[in-house]
């Protein structure tokens, strides 16, 4: 049956941006989150009863969907998570809403979709204008109910990620960090999206979880239908819709070759990350949840260089308390001990929207707005609670604390002062604490680079967040597929920023790491090693590759490369310098240059 159906469906190849390596085969799970267009045309008198009945049927179907989803959430995630849907049910049961909709159908001859949309839009406007934050947040519930009822009226199945219950390839127009944080890895074979770049947060999360991903497919989500057969090639960026058996066979061979290379790299996991001439580099993992600890360890990480604590916050509707956070952080610290864990304090804002703060963090320019340390310094109640939990966890292993999005020195001093207060309070309350909790900052804004010599006197370490630093330094939104070609970590300006930061750190006797994605590229890794970076932290799945890079070269060679690269004018010249070195001196590293890196345009 499948074969005959395939005969009616033409194989289609789409090219996007490879965001996470790997090859996956499976059926599409199409996520619908956009509002559907609703006809403005009125119905005739003879059709009114039919529209009334359509509305009532849609209400029943929506209630049934929510009840089913409620039961599933309760079984799998507990009663507290299932309660999220209680307010949706109340909206559907609201007699005033129902009566107003029926009145518009009967009196004004509105079609059912237009009537219910108009009523719920008016509710939305009212809730959005309320100053009470709790009530304001209910607007999102109304918006969700509107989408569900409208889709049922228009005969389109509602698919949200919470509905994913079997292995599939997730297809979406867009995936926010909140969406991807809630993904159940066991069900997700791969994901593809219309928008986004290779360094968008969704792409980073895919890589951190070892899920193949392709982004920037521009319109693919409209082409794919539920259960369509797909192949996702996260290495080349190709997505094949309705693949023929011949194409599937070719990709199965390619997948086997990819997995064989992965298996070979994993044989290095217990070897030290040391160059051929003896320089050892601390190699750590970036993770978002405690579920990734085993992946980090099994891929050879010696500690956690970036624990993104925000994902514990943005996947829920209420703020976690101190005790809950403490138990969570303690689990991570104990499992990694005696290796260190760097906890990045809450970094919401930008595209990382916490539901409990969604109304506050809606801004015209969120990536340059109220995010990172700016948010926590203005919400000291949240900041203190998190710091108390982290300091308490320090009694169980090696803990480091890191503040994100630092742009002025006063932010560091304020944050440190709060740390001191929290630590003093905990000691008075007779809690056991670790003795040597290091305090560091992320270097991810151009102003932090310019102030690095001053900032280094304030903290114990730097960790360079290259993803945001490149974005802010080059003025390129890394989630925007239209201009993602401008996002180039090999830009000479970026290289100089890294050099200045490392020099400032070492002159002041502190260590410096990189926790952005940059070292996952073999070309960039050669440069950051040569710059004298002390610690590299990356997705667990990239650690074996980076260890291979480190163990294949000498520190002296990379230092010489950096000296030459600093004399170049364009990213293209630097890329050619590195490629020549690989080709002539270390050809075995050539296989790690990925397809999209080979075709990357020279932006100078």
């Amino acid at each position: 049956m499948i074969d005959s159906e395939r005969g009616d469906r033409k194989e289609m190849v789409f090219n996007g941006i490879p965001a996470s390596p790997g090859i996956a085969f499976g059926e599409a799970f199409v996520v619908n989150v956009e509002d559907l267009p609703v006809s403005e045309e009125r119905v005739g008198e003879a059709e009114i009863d039919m529209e009334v009945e359509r509305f009532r049927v849609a209400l029943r179907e929506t209630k049934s969907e929510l009840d089913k989803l409620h039961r599933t959430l309760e079984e799998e995630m507990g009663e507290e998570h299932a309660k999220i849907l209680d307010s949706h049910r109340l909206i559907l049961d609201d007699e005033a809403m129902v009566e107003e909709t029926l009145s518009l159908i009967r009196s004004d001859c509105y079609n059912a979709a237009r009537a219910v949309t108009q009523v719920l839009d008016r509710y939305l406007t009212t809730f959005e204008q309320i100053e009470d934050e709790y009530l304001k947040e209910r607007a999102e519930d109304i918006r969700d109910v509107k989408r569900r009822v409208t889709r049922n009226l228009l005969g389109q199945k509602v698919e949200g990620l919470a509905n994913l219950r079997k292995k599939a390839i997730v297809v979406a127009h867009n995936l926010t960090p909140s969406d991807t944080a809630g993904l159940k890895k066991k069900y997700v074979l791969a994901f593809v999206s219309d928008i986004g770049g290779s360094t968008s947060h969704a792409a980073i999360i895919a890589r951190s979880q070892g899920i193949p991903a392709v982004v920037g497919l521009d319109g693919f989500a409209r082409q794919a239908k539920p259960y369509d057969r797909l192949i996702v090639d996260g290495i080349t960026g190709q997505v094949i819709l309705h693949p023929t058996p011949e194409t599937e066979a070719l990709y199965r061979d390619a997948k086997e070759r990819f997995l064989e290379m992965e298996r070979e790299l994993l044989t290095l996991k217990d070897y030290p990350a040391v160059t051929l001439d003896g320089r050892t580099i601390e190699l750590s993992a970036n993770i978002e949840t405690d579920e990734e600890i085993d992946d980090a360890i099994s891929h050879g990480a010696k500690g956690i260089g970036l624990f993104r604590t925000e994902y514990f916050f943005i996947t829920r509707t209420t703020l976690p308390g101190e005790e809950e956070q403490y138990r969570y952080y303690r689990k991570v610290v104990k499992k990694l001990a005696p290796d260190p864990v760097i906890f990045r304090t809450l970094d919401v804002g930008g595209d990382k929207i916490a539901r409990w703060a969604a109304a506050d963090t809606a801004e015209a320019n969120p990536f340059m707005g109220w995010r990172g340390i700016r948010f926590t310094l203005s919400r000291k109640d949240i900041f203190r609670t998190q710091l108390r939990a982290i300091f308490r966890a320090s009694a169980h292993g090696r803990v480091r604390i890191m503040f994100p999005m630092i742009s002025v020195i006063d932010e560091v001093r304020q944050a440190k002062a709060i740390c001191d207060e929290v630590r003093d309070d905990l000691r008075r309350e007779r809690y056991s604490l670790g003795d040597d909790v290091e305090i560091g900052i992320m270097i991810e804004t151009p102003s932090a680079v310019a102030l690095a010599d001053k900032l280094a006197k304030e903290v114990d370490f730097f960790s360079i967040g290259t993803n945001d630093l490149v974005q802010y330094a080059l003025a390129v939104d890394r989630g925007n597929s239209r201009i993602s070609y401008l996002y180039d970590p090999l830009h000479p300006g970026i290289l100089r920023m890294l050099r200045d930061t490392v020099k400032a750190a070492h002159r002041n006797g502190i260590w410096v790491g990189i926790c952005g994605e940059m070292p996952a590229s073999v070309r960039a890794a050669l440069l950051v090693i040569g710059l004298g970076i002390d610690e590299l932290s990356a997705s667990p799945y990239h650690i074996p590759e980076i260890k291979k890079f480190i163990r294949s070269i000498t520190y002296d060679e990379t230092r010489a490369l950096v000296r030459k690269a600093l004399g170049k004018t364009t990213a293209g010249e630097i890329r050619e310098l590195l490629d020549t070195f690989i080709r002539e001196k270390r050809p075995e590293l050539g296989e790690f240059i990925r397809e999209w890196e080979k075709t990357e345009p020279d932006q100078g």
Side-chain angles (χ1 to χ4, degrees):
M1 181 185 73
I2 303 254
D3 285 340
S4 64
E5 285 183 355
R6 276 183 180 166
D8 299 330
R9 296 175 178 180
K10 184 180 177 184
E11 177 178 289
M12 299 170 73
V13 179
F14 297 80
N15 290 295
I17 299 169
S20 179
I23 296 173
F25 304 76
E27 292 180 339
F29 179 89
V30 183
V31 180
N32 300 317
V33 294
E34 307 297 323
D35 286 343
L36 291 175
V38 171
S39 169
E40 295 285 316
E41 289 184 13
R42 295 176 191 250
V43 298
E45 291 281 342
E47 298 169 276
I48 286 177
D49 287 345
M50 185 174 70
E51 287 301 297
V52 168
E53 182 58 20
R54 285 184 64 228
F55 173 59
R56 292 193 187 282
V57 169
L59 278 185
R60 286 199 295 273
E61 289 178 347
T62 308
K63 288 176 185 177
S64 176
E65 278 173 8
L66 290 174
D67 290 345
K68 184 178 173 186
L69 187 55
H70 189 287
R71 286 194 297 274
T72 305
L73 285 176
E74 192 170 27
E75 288 170 8
E76 297 189 1
M77 303 178 74
E79 188 179 353
E80 185 183 345
H81 283 83
K83 282 182 178 175
I84 294 169
L85 298 173
D86 288 351
S87 53
H88 294 61
R89 198 63 160 78
L90 287 174
I91 296 166
L92 290 169
D93 288 335
D94 183 70
E95 290 184 10
M97 184 278 288
V98 174
E99 289 305 316
E100 286 180 48
T101 303
L102 292 175
S103 175
L104 284 173
I105 297 172
R106 289 172 174 147
S107 305
D108 295 53
C109 298
Y110 279 14
N111 65 62
R114 183 184 177 191
V116 72
T117 298
Q118 181 162 312
V119 171
L120 290 175
D121 278 347
R122 189 165 53 75
Y123 282 24
L124 265 174
T125 303
T126 303
F127 272 76
E128 286 171 346
Q129 290 172 347
I130 294 173
E131 290 190 0
D132 182 278
E133 294 305 325
Y134 176 81
L135 292 176
K136 191 181 281 188
E137 289 172 22
R138 300 286 70 77
E140 197 55 42
D141 299 332
I142 297 172
R143 193 170 284 114
D144 189 58
V145 166
K146 188 181 90 169
R147 287 192 191 113
R148 288 177 180 276
V149 174
T150 308
R151 286 189 180 280
N152 281 323
L153 276 167
L154 300 178
Q156 293 209 12
K157 188 173 173 60
V158 178
E159 291 287 16
L161 287 173
N163 297 49
L164 187 56
R165 292 290 180 272
K166 66 175 186 176
K167 290 185 178 181
I169 294 172
V170 173
V171 177
H173 175 66
N174 186 24
L175 284 170
T176 67
S178 305
D179 293 330
T180 46
L183 285 176
K184 291 182 178 174
K185 184 180 170 184
K186 63 180 179 180
Y187 295 135
V188 182
L189 297 169
F191 79 68
V192 299
S193 64
D194 286 345
I195 63 176
S198 63
T199 50
S200 61
H201 280 290
I204 291 168
I205 290 171
R207 286 195 287 274
S208 73
Q209 300 195 355
I211 300 172
V214 176
V215 299
L217 281 161
D218 192 21
F220 178 76
R222 287 196 302 273
Q223 298 278 346
K225 302 290 185 295
Y227 311 112
D228 274 352
R229 184 79 181 161
L230 299 179
I231 297 175
V232 176
D233 184 346
I235 304 165
T236 64
Q238 284 196 327
V239 176
I240 294 93
L241 180 62
H242 310 314
T244 63
E246 293 76 18
T247 301
E248 291 222 16
L250 288 172
Y251 272 92
R252 288 196 188 283
D253 288 344
K255 181 175 182 177
E256 187 51 42
R257 290 195 298 276
F258 174 78
L259 293 176
E260 180 59 32
M261 190 170 79
E262 296 272 287
R263 285 191 287 270
E264 285 181 18
L265 287 170
L266 274 176
T267 62
L268 296 174
K269 83 178 185 63
D270 295 323
Y271 288 86
V274 57
T275 62
L276 293 171
D277 52 355
R279 179 177 174 78
T280 299
I281 297 171
E282 193 173 330
L283 196 49
S284 311
N286 298 340
I287 62 173
E288 284 79 35
T289 70
D290 60 339
E291 295 170 353
E292 298 169 71
I293 299 173
D294 289 339
D295 278 344
I297 295 171
S298 66
H299 284 77
K302 299 298 289 179
I304 301 301
L306 174 63
F307 190 94
R308 298 179 172 106
T309 62
E310 55 272 17
Y311 288 92
F312 189 57
F313 289 72
I314 66 176
T315 52
R316 50 197 299 143
T317 55
T318 56
L319 276 167
E322 177 184 325
E323 195 61 28
E324 190 180 0
Q325 288 189 60
Y326 162 66
R327 290 195 299 271
Y328 188 65
Y329 303 147
R330 180 185 61 186
K331 180 180 175 184
V332 178
V333 173
K334 287 179 77 170
K335 202 154 187 180
L336 266 301
D339 292 324
V341 179
I342 298 180
F343 288 104
R344 179 171 73 184
T345 56
L346 183 60
D347 187 22
V348 293
D351 58 353
K352 290 178 286 189
I353 306 300
R355 289 192 67 185
W356 42 265
D360 284 342
T361 50
E363 297 177 289
N365 196 353
F367 286 97
M368 294 193 183
W370 194 39
R371 57 172 299 198
I373 195 69
R374 302 167 185 180
F375 177 87
T376 44
L377 286 179
S378 61
R379 287 296 307 268
K380 293 188 177 65
D381 54 329
I382 297 173
F383 196 32
R384 286 176 190 277
T385 301
Q386 183 179 37
L387 289 173
R388 281 179 63 90
I390 296 174
F391 273 115
R392 287 176 59 192
S394 71
H396 304 280
R398 290 177 63 193
V399 166
R400 294 164 173 165
I401 296 175
M402 181 164 68
F403 307 127
M405 194 65 184
I406 295 294
S407 57
V408 296
I409 207 159
D410 192 48
E411 292 168 334
V412 182
R413 291 173 176 167
Q414 284 187 57
K416 282 174 60 186
I418 295 171
C419 282
D420 290 341
E421 291 169 10
V422 165
R423 199 159 26 195
D424 290 344
D425 288 346
L426 290 168
R427 284 176 177 149
R428 273 194 298 274
E429 295 167 32
R430 298 187 179 283
Y431 282 106
S432 296
L433 308 179
D435 294 327
D436 56 351
V437 177
E438 293 180 70
I439 303 294
I441 59 171
M442 289 192 72
I443 300 292
E444 53 187 340
T445 64
S447 66
V449 175
L451 282 172
D453 59 330
K454 305 295 183 187
L455 289 166
K457 300 182 192 311
E458 303 282 336
V459 295
D460 300 311
F461 68 91
F462 287 161
S463 187
I464 306 173
T466 52
N467 303 337
D468 274 340
L469 180 60
V470 174
Q471 171 174 256
Y472 291 128
L474 301 183
V476 178
D477 175 357
R478 56 197 171 98
N480 187 335
S481 54
R482 290 181 177 176
I483 55 170
S484 60
Y485 65 92
L486 287 169
Y487 185 94
D488 195 337
L490 296 181
H491 190 289
I494 301 300
L495 183 59
R496 290 171 188 227
M497 285 183 156
L498 297 183
R499 174 201 60 187
D500 294 347
T501 303
V502 174
K503 279 188 175 179
H506 288 171
R507 272 201 298 262
N508 286 280
I510 68 171
W511 63 270
V512 55
I514 282 185
C515 60
E517 291 285 301
M518 193 170 172
S521 155
V522 60
R523 293 171 174 140
L526 292 172
L527 294 178
V528 299
I529 294 166
L531 284 165
I533 295 287
D534 303 289
E535 180 239 23
L536 296 177
S537 189
S539 153
Y541 295 89
H542 282 142
I543 288 175
E545 272 185 31
I546 297 173
K547 190 177 288 186
K548 169 80 173 177
F549 305 160
I550 294 170
R551 291 177 59 84
S552 299
I553 42 86
T554 67
Y555 181 45
D556 281 347
E557 285 174 331
T558 59
R559 292 178 68 196
L561 279 173
V562 167
R563 283 194 295 273
K564 290 177 183 174
L566 285 168
K568 302 296 182 185
T569 307
T570 71
E573 292 172 7
I574 293 175
R575 193 170 287 109
E576 178 55 31
L577 168 72
L578 298 168
D579 286 352
T580 301
F581 170 79
I582 292 171
R583 194 167 52 246
E584 295 179 356
K585 304 289 186 183
R586 297 286 182 269
E588 70 275 18
L589 295 181
E591 64 179 309
F592 295 102
I593 299 176
R594 297 178 175 85
E595 288 300 316
W596 77 89
E597 293 179 300
K598 291 176 183 171
T599 57
E600 210 166 37
D602 177 12
Q603 295 304 316

